Every structure is written in C-alpha cells, then in structure tokens.
Amino acid sequence: MRFRIYRYNPETDTKPYMQDYELAEIQPDMMLLDALEEIRAQDESLAFRRSCGEGVCGSDGMNINGRNGLACITPLASLKEPVALRPLPGRPVIRDLVVDLSQFYQQYRAVKPWLIREDPLPEVEFLQSPEERKQLDGLYECILCACCSTACPSWWWNPEKFRGPAALLWVNRFVADNRDQATEERLSELDDAYKLFRCHTIMNCADVCPKNLNPAEAISRLKHRMMKDSI
C-alpha cells in the first residue's frame, strides 16, 4: 500500500515536502496508526503523536486524504491510494504530523470547562434525574482531538477571537447541565462578534468528529439561547 506523508523538520528543512512510503504486507484489520508504526520502523525520523490507540485520547488527529480524523480508528481498507497524510490544518507545524495546539487549549480553558456553583456543595454527590442526565448526551463525549476546530475556516482565520467548535461544544455541555449555575456568566462571556457568532454553520465540525458529535448544533443552541434571553 502506498502512502504520501507530509514531512517538515524546521531544524533541517527549508520547506515542507511530501515523502512516499510503501508497505508490502497489509493485514485486513489494520488501522492507519498500525501502518504509521510500520513506516516509522522503516524511517525512525517520522514524527506523529499517538497514545491510547483506541479512539479515546484523541492524540493522533491528522488530515487523512483531505479529511481530519484519528489514525487509530481509521481502517486502511477504507482509504484510497496513495494515502495522503498531512498535519491538522491551520496550526503551526512542530514537526511532520505534529502540530502546536496551544491556541486550541487556550480557547478550551477560556470557557471554564467545569461545573460552577454558587450554592453550597452537597455532602455526597449531585443527583440528576434520568431526564436531566439525558440532556448531556452528545455533549460530554468530546475527547479534545481538535479535528473539528482545525476543520473550521472561521477558526483558521480567527484562532485568537473565535472560541471554535470544540470549546463551544463544552460551553453548551455546561449550559445544558442543571447542576451548573453559571449559565448567565457563560453566555455573557460569548456576547461579542467573534467568540460565538463567527460560526457560519458550514458543518465541517460535525462532518469530521470521530465521536459523531455535532458541535454546530450545540453552537446553534447557544445562539438561540442568547437571542431568547435578549428579548
């Protein structure tokens, strides 16, 4: 199977280039991450991130044949040759398929992704009804792989101002949580021309999410909530 992989080492290369590799033996159940490990056995200079290998940690996000995804849960059998691998778009490249996600995590931290309470904390736990708990489905499963935000043109152009799909999905996760008491603060923080309303609902985020989440829908709910509260 043939591969074309983005290579760039800022310490030695003057510009990026695509390097061809080939694996002679492909097993039917191999994932892309397995192939990358075999390629790195041939060329130990190739750099990419990986950790759990099970689609949970989100560390091996990359652009696969033009679409963001996780290498560990992408079957080789689903890919056309040559398989073109590039770093997640719109981020500075540290080396090869490894990008700098500092901005992504800054936006995530900025939305205060934790429960905020004014009332005293319960002695044991917060109780929720099944209906209240169900409101969080499709929101809490985000693994912060950055596939969505790095597929979003609005975030490419405004990474310092637009919170991006992943961070806004997390805002809605806490707005929808009946245990959180900071809805007004969370929505007020987003009330400018960029942080929320720079989303133009082109749906790239939902298209590439490896967990089949829909950040665009979460963003629409936030917009609707803000408009409703302003009336």
Side-chain angles (χ1 to χ4, degrees), residues 103-113 144 163 166-167 170:
Q103 193 75 60
F104 174 78
Y105 292 119
Q106 286 174 15
Q107 295 290 14
Y108 171 63
R109 288 191 292 269
V111 303
K112 299 181 179 179
L144 295 173
R163 291 289 185 234
W170 278 94

Side-chain angles (χ1 to χ4, degrees), residues 114-122 126 178-186:
W114 55 80
L115 282 176
I116 298 176
R117 299 275 300 181
E118 296 179 358
D119 295 342
L121 297 175
F126 290 108
N178 69 299
R179 300 167 299 179
D180 190 84
Q181 296 180 322
T183 294
E184 184 176 347
E185 174 188 340
R186 296 183 189 282

Side-chain angles (χ1 to χ4, degrees), residues 49 55 77 88 144 157 178:
R49 288 192 176 108
L88 290 172
L144 295 173
W157 314 140
N178 69 299

Side-chain angles (χ1 to χ4, degrees), residues 4 35 44 149:
R4 300 204 74 204
E44 61 182 15
S149 291

